[in-house]
Amino acid sequence: MNPSILMPAEKQTEPLMWQELGHKYYSLNLYLTHKFGGRVQKISLDGGFTCPNVDGTVAKGGCTFCDNRSFSPSRRVRRDAITSQIQRGIDGLRRRYKTERFLAYFQPATNTYGPLDKLRVLWETALEDERIVGLIIGTRPDCVADDVLDLIDEFAQRTYVSLELGVQTIHDSSLDWMNRGHHHDAAVDAMQRVAGRKFETSLHIMLGLPGETHDMMMATADQVARWNPAAVKIHNLYAVERTELADQVRSGQVRMLELDEYLELLADFLERLPPQMVIERISGDAPPKDFIAPMWCLKKGTIKAKLVELFDARGTRQGTRFPIPN
Ligand code: SF4
């Protein structure tokens, strides 16, 4: 890491020129280090939410790839449970990463699927710990009503906030395949309504969905580039235990991408994104004990090194093909 980018956040007015540091894409680690002036780690918090795709509001059973058995409806999490989750998270991470700054990441299930007063209490509680320097809120595009966005905006006036929206793909056929319970129009609507807000928006995207051609995946890339969110999380389709997808993979009904296929797609995708967009993730992530396929997903270091090799061989990087001509 170039020490010149480790400056106090309040002095940072210029965007980071990651290309000049020799990187091939603008990684989350680089971005956070630049923004906060040093290492920041996420702490995953369970706010006790369920999901409209699990409780029967829009669908039942959840997405085919999601192990949602723990997201039962009417879950409740006590306020002190959040503070103890934060303390446990900090205890586990502070020595390993030598940092005292953390982001409260409301991750499992749909973290805006609840009454406003519950959301407010959870976020306020997380920020009571002065080592928490921001919030990350993971949700679905059909669960961000205007009053929820207004509340997130209110928090964004006093701290860093990132809203993570699970878009996955722009293709309704794929959203139907995964039993998503909403179509692409929900993402279009959400992206129109987050525009101009004070918080950052990050989009989840999946590559390798059954039935999606290269052109279809690049159409998703081009739409992400047009939306131009602060960040994107990209990963290959992968299967974990206790999901419908696991059964489909085991029976041979669904084929997972090979690493080389995925890397070519990923490089094509990244080349089409604007250079200032932060790339939060480039591959799937799950506890190894639950992982079913593809097993190459567990070798994160190899994936990253091979992506850099591929960009070197192509002479390209994130943003090389941006903007895409109309
Ligand atoms: S929307 Fe998210 S939490 Fe709900 S079932 Fe799908 S992946 Fe799981």
Side-chain angles (χ1 to χ4, degrees), residues 228-271:
N228 197 16
V232 63
K233 258 185 178 177
I234 306 165
H235 67 77
N236 56 301
L237 180 69
Y238 64 92
V240 296
E241 293 285 6
R242 300 176 294 275
T243 60
E244 199 181 323
L245 182 58
D247 297 337
Q248 293 170 340
V249 170
R250 285 185 170 124
S251 69
Q253 211 181 320
V254 170
R255 184 184 82 86
M256 296 283 151
L257 293 174
E258 299 296 334
L259 175 56
D260 286 348
E261 283 176 284
Y262 177 62
L263 288 169
E264 293 285 344
L265 280 169
L266 181 60
D268 290 346
F269 199 101
L270 291 173
E271 286 171 6

Side-chain angles (χ1 to χ4, degrees), residues 51-54 61-63 65-68 71 108-110 140 168 180:
C51 170
N53 210 7
V54 172
C63 301
F65 53 81
C66 177
D67 175 11
N68 49 53
F71 304 166
T110 298
R140 296 161 49 98
Q168 318 306 359
R180 188 71 184 172

Side-chain angles (χ1 to χ4, degrees), residues 52-101:
N53 210 7
V54 172
D55 69 5
T57 300
V58 298
K60 275 205 165 147
C63 301
T64 49
F65 53 81
C66 177
D67 175 11
N68 49 53
R69 289 184 320 162
S70 58
F71 304 166
S72 65
S74 72
R75 298 172 76 219
R76 298 278 183 273
V77 162
R78 292 198 326 271
R79 188 175 174 283
D80 62 349
I82 288 295
T83 53
S84 55
Q85 285 182 50
I86 289 174
Q87 191 56 53
R88 263 201 315 279
I90 290 177
D91 289 346
L93 294 170
R94 58 189 287 271
R95 278 207 194 87
R96 186 162 156 209
Y97 293 104
K98 297 188 174 40
T99 183
E100 295 294 337
R101 279 176 293 193

Side-chain angles (χ1 to χ4, degrees), residues 51 62 96 106 115 128 131 191 195 209 221-222 249 259 294 325-326:
C51 170
R96 186 162 156 209
F106 289 92
E128 278 170 12
R131 296 166 295 182
M191 290 308 289
L209 294 167
D222 295 343
V249 170
L259 175 56
N326 286 323

